[in-house]
Amino acid sequence: MSIQTRRERERAERERLIVAAARELAEAEGWEAVTTRRLAAEIEYSQPVLYSHFKGKDAIMAAVAVEGCAELAAELRAARTAVSGRREALAAVGEAYTAFARRRPALYDAMFTLAVGLPFATAEAPPELWEAFEELSRAVTPVAAEGEDPVLLTETYWATLHGLATLTRSGRLPEESHAHRLSLLTGHFAAGVG
């Protein structure tokens, strides 16, 4: 192995360590607790080393968000492909999405609530963001009525899931009605689909 290859591998490992530490700290104490000083102490590197990988907290949060989108895409894909039928796939994806948000609140916030400077819905968006959106689209497009724009319909479905996840987590919607809300959403989006 060349020295250059080893250095690149060590650099990638330090970046994974920084992102993992940020995620762990955010899930335990919230994003307010994640500071570059605290992360440097957690990973036992100096702040200049941390800054050699990321420009600051926002860049670290963006890396966390990209990683989270890849994980979300995998969970949505697993849910969608575990069932048969268009309506069932839509329901499974909705449940997987909201369960993800519930299980990983700080990660979800980095992905979809906090400003992290990632471009969404543009050619510059990281592929992991597109992958997560495409998994939603693969569930929504088969239930789109003739003439409906599948992209706009997917965006609307995503926005609705985000609203349900956010409002339920904040206690503004009672958790005990969550399954019924998802059923209503699936029924509305899949009206007339068998």
Side-chain angles (χ1 to χ4, degrees), residues 27-98:
E27 289 297 351
E29 300 179 34
W31 281 108
E32 307 78 34
V34 179
T35 64
T36 53
R37 181 182 309 258
R38 182 104 183 257
L39 281 176
E42 291 283 329
I43 63 170
E44 300 178 345
Y45 281 101
S46 67
Q47 281 186 285
V49 169
L50 192 138
Y51 281 113
S52 74
H53 292 276
F54 297 99
K55 290 182 181 177
K57 180 178 173 178
D58 288 349
I60 295 167
M61 289 173 59
V64 167
V66 168
E67 191 175 89
C69 285
E71 293 171 19
L72 176 62
E75 289 189 28
L76 296 178
R77 184 178 314 105
R80 180 180 53 78
T81 59
V83 297
S84 60
R86 296 177 288 182
R87 183 184 209 116
E88 292 79 6
L90 187 66
V93 163
E95 179 52 42
Y97 183 96
T98 56

Side-chain angles (χ1 to χ4, degrees), residues 11-193:
R11 180 174 179 75
E13 182 54 38
R14 278 192 306 271
E15 286 182 7
R16 280 192 293 277
L17 184 63
I18 293 165
V19 169
R23 284 181 66 165
E24 185 177 313
L25 187 56
E27 289 297 351
E29 300 179 34
W31 281 108
E32 307 78 34
V34 179
T35 64
T36 53
R37 181 182 309 258
R38 182 104 183 257
L39 281 176
E42 291 283 329
I43 63 170
E44 300 178 345
Y45 281 101
S46 67
Q47 281 186 285
V49 169
L50 192 138
Y51 281 113
S52 74
H53 292 276
F54 297 99
K55 290 182 181 177
K57 180 178 173 178
D58 288 349
I60 295 167
M61 289 173 59
V64 167
V66 168
E67 191 175 89
C69 285
E71 293 171 19
L72 176 62
E75 289 189 28
L76 296 178
R77 184 178 314 105
R80 180 180 53 78
T81 59
V83 297
S84 60
R86 296 177 288 182
R87 183 184 209 116
E88 292 79 6
L90 187 66
V93 163
E95 179 52 42
Y97 183 96
T98 56
F100 181 94
R102 190 170 40 254
R103 278 191 330 275
R104 299 180 174 122
L107 176 59
Y108 186 83
D109 284 346
M111 293 163 60
F112 300 125
T113 304
L114 302 172
V116 295
L118 285 174
F120 279 82
T122 68
E124 294 80 32
E128 294 85 350
L129 277 62
W130 281 110
E131 184 182 356
F133 184 80
E134 285 301 316
E135 284 305 322
L136 287 171
S137 184
R138 286 183 183 102
V140 172
T141 299
V143 301
E146 189 174 327
E148 283 185 317
D149 181 337
V151 172
L152 290 178
L153 193 61
T154 301
E155 289 172 347
T156 303
Y157 184 67
W158 174 28
T160 305
L161 290 175
H162 174 72
L164 288 175
T166 303
L167 291 170
T168 302
R169 188 174 98 193
S170 69
R172 287 167 176 83
L173 293 176
E175 179 69 39
E176 61 269 11
S177 300
H178 179 71
H180 186 68
R181 282 188 208 95
L182 282 178
S183 177
L184 290 171
L185 178 62
T186 300
H188 176 74
F189 271 82
V193 174

